[in-house]
Structure formats: structure tokens, C-alpha cells
Amino acid sequence: MQNGYWVSYSNRKGTKNYQDYYNDLIGYIGQIDWIVKDINRVKYAMDNNESYHEIMVYFSVDENGQAIPSLMIQLTEDRYICNIKGSGYGYIVDNNLIKVLKAKIQNMEITEEVMLQLQDLDLLVAIERKIDNGEELTKEDISFIYEIEREINRIGYKYREEDPRITKIKQNRNVKRDMAKLFDCLEEQVGTCTEDLNRELSVYLGDIKNFTSFCTDYRFPRIVVGSIMSHMEYAVNVEFPHTIIGSLNLPRLETISNVVFPKKCNYIELVSLSDIKTPTVIPFDHVPIYFPINSVTNFVPPERISQEFLFRNYDSEQSYAIQEYAEANGIEIYSERSRK
């Protein structure tokens, strides 16, 4: 365990205040962006932001006796841990400080979000240890590092950037071998570039964008780990992937005939269904559908539908028909703004 000590900052008596926090961290501006760029920002946060009611900072002491801020914990007024940040790139917590962090918080209340972040940090460290020991990764490990089933819950990570530890792991992996193991196919059935789409594949890793050659008589790979986007206006005899680990974006599609849509997908973006000229049964069982609705005067829902609708122009005056249908069928509807 590293040498160091914890310091608490808040507006309560007996603790250091915002001025002390600013003074203690001012020398690290540019290295650690923990709201220290402006003392007024620090004061405002501690006075008004529930998640900054108390800030606990761990200072590591190096071999020269210099104290370096290395961990930061934010607590609410009822002393729930609501955020954790490290001093590494993107606020990651250094592996050498995980024991320090766990020792500090073991008897403290933690929000569910932070609990999930800590669980995923443990998974990441365990996978790193496996790799260092030359052990094979399981399907669950592979799914985790490629974020197949869900996004990784990142501690303190700003802008949803990828944890550099995950990046390093993937850079040293044979991605086709990993995908073949995960999806039970051969390595040669895994594609990673556009040229691969000209042959029969089981899995394609990457986004497929602005294609024009797949509008007629085309069968996509069974699984696409990425998103598909096209401005195609028609689709005839097209079978989209059974599973898309991403989204299907077809904002200009107007005519479809003998088209098989995905059974599993994060969301699907289409034009208004009332604008599709040759509708067929669209099997959206559990797929969120994202419609950039311009007019819902003649709104016609598909025969089978997801329990979630995503409408770009939900706030338009013509949204009543959508709302009425949704309420009658227990479907949740969201505007584009509410998803951001």
C-alpha cells in the first residue's frame, strides 16, 4: 500500500474549506482538473452542488517527501460517495492505489452508480492479472473488454473516453480470434474492413457507413459489432444482421420489400412508418425505434413493436397520435432532447 494521507474539505467546522482545497491543489492545475482552475468555481461547487458537499483527497508521498494529490472522493450531504476520481488520464484510478481506495471506503455508503464502477474496476484488474499470467480469457472477459453486452462503468471518466488500460489490452489482442471465440465461429468468418463484406461472414467488427451496394439482394453478417448507417432510399431482398451491437440508422429509407430487420439492436432509426410505401411486418420485439417524425397525420405502427419509442420531433404539434398510441399500448416515448 502506498504511503500517504487523506484530507477532508467542506464547509463544516473542523475541516478544511474551499480556500484550503484550492491552495493545496493549485500547483497541479493542468495535471488534475478537480475544479481547481478557479477558486470561485470551488466555492460555488461546495456551497451549491450536492455532489461536492464534502471532498476527500488522498495525497501520496513520494520518495522525496512530496505530497501529490492522487485520489478524490466526493460525498453528498448525507455522506454517500457519489463520485471517485483518480489523477491519471481521464481520472482513472491507478492500480497501485486501489487498495488505498478500498480501505478508505469499506465502511462508507456508496451510490449504486459508484458501486457498479468499483465492480467493473475489479473486473478490469482481474483481466489484466490473467493476461500478465498468460491465462486464457473467458467469453465473459472478452465481452467485457469489447463492451459487447454493455458499456464499462468507468470511475470518474470524463467524456466517456476509453480507459487506456482497456485500449492497451485490445491493442495486444488478436481481435478476430477473440470474436470467433465469443460468437462461436471460425476466425476467417470474422471481418474487420469494408472489403470483407464482399464475402460471407458471421461477424463484422466495426461500423458500416454510407454503403450503396447493399440495397438489393444482400445478406449482412449475422452479427455486427458496431453500427450500420446508410442514406439508402429503398431496400429489396435485404437481410440485416440478426444482432447489431450498436444502431441501425436508415433515415431516408422509404421503400422496403422482403426485408428482415434485426432482432437485437441498441436502437433503430427510420423515417416515419407512415412514409414507408410498401410496409411489411417489422419484427421489432425488444428494439428501441427512433423515428425522425415530420408528420404523424397518418401514423401507422408496425404489427409488432418495441416497448420503447424514440422520436426526434416529439415536441411537434402533431405528436398527439403518437402519444395516444403509446399510452394505449404501454409504450414509453422519448424526445431526442431527453436522450442526450
Side-chain angles (χ1 to χ4, degrees), residues 93-153:
V93 175
D94 188 274
N95 288 5
N96 295 325
L97 291 170
I98 293 176
K99 288 185 178 179
V100 172
L101 176 63
K102 293 290 186 69
K104 184 65 176 178
I105 68 175
Q106 61 180 343
N107 295 318
M108 300 179 70
E109 299 291 342
I110 304 173
T111 62
E112 182 179 358
E113 181 181 7
V114 173
M115 181 65 71
L116 293 173
Q117 292 170 355
L118 291 169
Q119 291 173 358
D120 279 2
L121 179 60
D122 287 340
L123 282 173
L124 173 55
V125 172
I127 290 172
E128 285 185 308
R129 190 178 301 117
K130 280 185 179 182
I131 293 173
D132 291 341
N133 293 334
E135 300 177 37
E136 284 289 320
L137 297 189
T138 65
K139 286 186 176 182
E140 290 75 18
D141 296 334
I142 293 170
S143 179
F144 176 80
I145 63 176
Y146 289 100
E147 301 183 271
I148 300 299
E149 295 296 329
R150 62 174 178 84
E151 289 186 345
I152 296 171
N153 297 290

Side-chain angles (χ1 to χ4, degrees), residues 47-111:
D47 287 343
N48 300 282
N49 193 326
E50 166 66 8
S51 64
Y52 283 94
H53 187 78
E54 181 177 350
I55 300 174
M56 304 174 70
V57 176
Y58 179 78
F59 291 85
S60 300
V61 180
D62 65 16
E63 61 275 11
N64 297 318
Q66 182 179 1
I68 304 169
S70 304
L71 288 171
M72 189 259 269
I73 298 174
Q74 296 171 216
L75 289 89
T76 61
E77 186 174 1
D78 53 4
R79 295 189 62 77
Y80 267 79
I81 295 175
C82 60
N83 200 5
I84 295 173
K85 294 180 181 179
S87 59
Y89 174 80
Y91 305 143
I92 68 169
V93 175
D94 188 274
N95 288 5
N96 295 325
L97 291 170
I98 293 176
K99 288 185 178 179
V100 172
L101 176 63
K102 293 290 186 69
K104 184 65 176 178
I105 68 175
Q106 61 180 343
N107 295 318
M108 300 179 70
E109 299 291 342
I110 304 173
T111 62

Side-chain angles (χ1 to χ4, degrees), residues 66-335:
Q66 182 179 1
I68 304 169
S70 304
L71 288 171
M72 189 259 269
I73 298 174
Q74 296 171 216
L75 289 89
T76 61
E77 186 174 1
D78 53 4
R79 295 189 62 77
Y80 267 79
I81 295 175
C82 60
N83 200 5
I84 295 173
K85 294 180 181 179
S87 59
Y89 174 80
Y91 305 143
I92 68 169
V93 175
D94 188 274
N95 288 5
N96 295 325
L97 291 170
I98 293 176
K99 288 185 178 179
V100 172
L101 176 63
K102 293 290 186 69
K104 184 65 176 178
I105 68 175
Q106 61 180 343
N107 295 318
M108 300 179 70
E109 299 291 342
I110 304 173
T111 62
E112 182 179 358
E113 181 181 7
V114 173
M115 181 65 71
L116 293 173
Q117 292 170 355
L118 291 169
Q119 291 173 358
D120 279 2
L121 179 60
D122 287 340
L123 282 173
L124 173 55
V125 172
I127 290 172
E128 285 185 308
R129 190 178 301 117
K130 280 185 179 182
I131 293 173
D132 291 341
N133 293 334
E135 300 177 37
E136 284 289 320
L137 297 189
T138 65
K139 286 186 176 182
E140 290 75 18
D141 296 334
I142 293 170
S143 179
F144 176 80
I145 63 176
Y146 289 100
E147 301 183 271
I148 300 299
E149 295 296 329
R150 62 174 178 84
E151 289 186 345
I152 296 171
N153 297 290
R154 300 162 171 84
I155 283 184
Y157 224 79
K158 59 180 180 179
Y159 312 133
R160 305 301 300 166
E161 297 176 64
E162 186 172 78
D163 189 317
R165 289 171 293 200
I166 292 290
T167 304
K168 182 179 178 181
I169 289 173
K170 292 196 294 189
Q171 286 174 344
N172 294 315
R173 302 289 299 174
N174 182 326
V175 63
K176 288 190 175 183
R177 185 178 303 166
D178 281 343
M179 292 300 106
K181 179 175 182 176
L182 182 61
F183 295 114
D184 298 314
C185 64
L186 301 175
E187 283 187 46
E188 52 265 33
Q189 293 177 308
V190 178
T192 57
C193 61
T194 305
E195 289 72 21
D196 290 337
L197 292 169
N198 295 323
R199 58 188 179 87
E200 189 170 338
L201 299 173
S202 289
V203 180
Y204 183 81
L205 183 64
D207 294 333
I208 303 174
K209 296 182 179 181
N210 299 323
F211 56 84
T212 57
S213 57
F214 310 140
C215 301
T216 305
D217 301 322
Y218 188 79
R219 181 178 181 179
F220 283 85
R222 181 171 59 93
I223 298 169
V224 169
V225 183
S227 295
I228 297 177
M229 186 275 180
S230 174
H231 288 151
M232 61 196 297
E233 296 180 356
Y234 66 91
V236 178
N237 299 326
V238 174
E239 183 174 344
F240 286 103
H242 176 280
T243 299
I244 301 178
I245 314 297
S247 60
L248 175 61
N249 303 275
L250 305 170
R252 295 184 182 177
L253 182 64
E254 293 185 352
T255 303
I256 58 176
S257 177
N258 193 27
V259 173
V260 179
F261 284 85
K263 292 295 183 71
K264 183 178 180 181
C265 183
N266 289 353
Y267 74 80
I268 295 175
E269 177 177 352
L270 296 173
V271 297
S272 168
L273 287 186
S274 62
D275 293 334
I276 294 179
K277 297 175 182 176
T278 56
T280 59
V281 175
I282 305 177
F284 297 137
D285 280 334
H286 300 286
V287 179
I289 315 171
Y290 189 101
F291 293 125
I293 297 292
N294 293 318
S295 173
V296 294
T297 304
N298 299 310
F299 174 66
V300 179
E303 293 184 22
R304 296 160 64 192
I305 202 162
S306 161
Q307 293 304 298
E308 184 177 26
F309 262 6
L310 308 181
F311 290 108
R312 175 171 294 163
N313 293 334
Y314 173 62
D315 294 329
S316 71
E317 295 179 358
Q318 297 175 310
S319 63
Y320 178 75
I322 297 173
Q323 186 172 349
E324 184 179 54
Y325 176 82
E327 289 176 354
N329 291 275
I331 295 171
E332 293 189 52
I333 51 180
Y334 301 86
S335 69

